[in-house]
Every structure is written in structure tokens, then in C-alpha cells.
Amino acid sequence: MADKLTVLLVDDHALVRKGFRRMLEDDPAIAVVGEASEGGEAVRLALELKPNVIVMDCALPGISGIDVTRSIRAKSPGAAILMLSMHSEDTLVRQALEAGARGYILKNAMELDLATAIKRVAQGHLVLDPQLAKPEALKGERTGGLTARELEILRHIVAGKSNKEIAVELGLSANTVGVHRANIMDTLGIHKTAELVVYAIRNGLVNLP
């Protein structure tokens, strides 16, 4: 088990969990270590099992998967959560990212490659379903106008790095990075990091690794 990626499945439908488990257990690099059918159980198992990745259904009964994600991240900030949803609305994608999810993929996708998405999330990448990454503006105001330095900083923001981490990487002060971040949001007319990440990817301002 030590050399495998451990996964916790959270979905209120037993048949869906069974299908995902079978799909994942075909991959020798992944081990499903637990299943949860509702929010409270998901939080408990996430803290108890400490899986590498938590696959979270967005539409759980009672408390939503987004709220469960927020709760898990509050108790375990390093938890890597991949959100699964039947819905592609921009609002839900932004809410999931703001809650701390590191990926959002559609459950009804014809070519759902869950194992690959899990591996990418475990590696620290942000994963968005290709169907969500069509080149359309979230705000419809601007799609460019950033300097080369701002685009460079935007790439680091999309990778989930803090101002301090970006500053160390680029040899700048954290204050300078903060000013660039503010200018980027100002230029694009966006004022939330999660919304900025989705916008950047959808409009091709950055490329996912």
C-alpha cells in the first residue's frame, strides 16, 4: 500500500462507488482505502485514513460536497480533493475551487479518465474537465492585456502557489507579487482567486501541465 496512491470515494450512490472502485482498482498504482455515503462520514474517514486523494461527489444529501470539502480542508489543509459533478455551471466550478478542491470533472463524461485525474491532483496539478475548458469568458469583459511578467505570475497562481512562494520562485518580494496579483485581477475584472484560475484556463492564458 505504501507505494500506491490511496483514495477515499465519497458518493451517496453505492452502485456509483462500486463502479468507480472497479475502475480504479484496474490501475496497479491506486488503492481505494475507504468509501463514504454522506458528509459526516466523509470528514471522519478523511481525517482517519488521510488518503492521498479524496474523490468527492458534489451533490451529497444534506450537506453538499462543496461544504464537505470546505470542512475537510479546514481540518486538514493539505487534503487533495477531486470534485465530481453532473453539472458544468461556472458558479459550481468556482465554489468548488474556492472551497479548496484541486479538480472538477464531470461524472457523465463519455471518456471519464478518473485514474489519470487522481494522479494529476496527487501531483499538485489543478484538473478541470476538458468540457469546462472551452475558450469562453467567464466575465465577458477582457481576455488579455497582461504583461509577460503578469502572465508568468498568473501561471504560478493557477498552480496554487501563495504570494510568498511565487516571490521565492521568481526572486521578487512578496509585496511586489501582491501588486502584480492585484493588477492581474484589475485588468481582467476578476476579484476572486478561484474565478481567476478558471478564467485563465478557459481563455488559454495559461496551459495546464
Side-chain angles (χ1 to χ4, degrees):
M1 193 76 71
D3 59 346
K4 292 190 176 187
L5 278 177
T6 55
V7 174
L8 170 64
L9 296 176
V10 183
D11 194 292
D12 59 320
H13 296 290
L15 284 177
V16 172
R17 295 197 309 273
K18 185 176 182 180
F20 285 157
R21 178 183 277 272
R22 284 182 174 173
M23 186 188 303
L24 295 176
E25 288 180 343
D26 283 340
D27 191 314
I30 294 175
V32 177
V33 293
E35 297 182 19
S37 60
E38 51 84 27
E41 185 182 22
V43 174
R44 179 180 63 79
L45 288 177
L47 299 178
E48 179 184 311
L49 299 173
K50 295 181 173 57
N52 296 121
V53 177
I54 301 163
V55 176
M56 179 75 64
D57 180 24
C58 190
L60 291 173
I63 177 172
S64 74
I66 290 173
D67 287 332
V68 175
T69 294
R70 192 175 289 112
S71 181
I72 291 173
R73 292 274 298 181
K75 296 177 173 67
S76 178
I81 300 174
L82 174 62
M83 188 72 65
L84 265 64
S85 176
M86 296 291 290
H87 306 287
S88 60
E89 287 86 346
D90 295 338
T91 301
L92 281 176
V93 177
R94 287 197 294 268
Q95 287 176 350
L97 294 177
E98 286 170 355
R102 289 301 296 162
Y104 191 105
I105 60 178
L106 300 177
K107 292 170 72 172
N108 59 346
M110 291 299 291
E111 297 180 2
L112 176 60
D113 191 349
L114 187 56
T116 296
I118 286 171
K119 290 173 184 176
R120 288 175 59 77
V121 167
Q123 292 166 354
H125 298 304
L126 177 70
V127 177
L128 290 181
D129 194 289
Q131 293 186 53
L132 301 174
K134 295 172 183 175
E136 58 180 275
L138 291 181
K139 307 289 279 188
E141 292 139 349
R142 305 179 185 89
T143 58
L146 300 181
T147 67
R149 174 63 90 181
E150 287 169 346
L151 285 170
E152 184 178 27
I153 287 172
L154 180 57
R155 282 193 290 272
H156 288 290
I157 292 172
V158 170
K161 295 178 183 177
S162 66
N163 285 0
K164 187 175 180 181
E165 289 170 327
I166 296 171
V168 171
E169 186 96 12
L170 301 181
L172 302 171
S173 73
N175 285 342
T176 298
V177 173
V179 170
H180 281 303
R181 184 189 285 256
N183 287 342
I184 291 167
M185 290 183 165
D186 229 26
T187 299
L188 298 177
I190 295 171
H191 302 289
K192 290 184 179 179
T193 298
E195 193 172 315
L196 177 64
V197 168
V198 177
Y199 180 95
I201 294 169
R202 286 198 171 192
N203 288 280
L205 297 181
V206 299
N207 294 315
L208 288 175

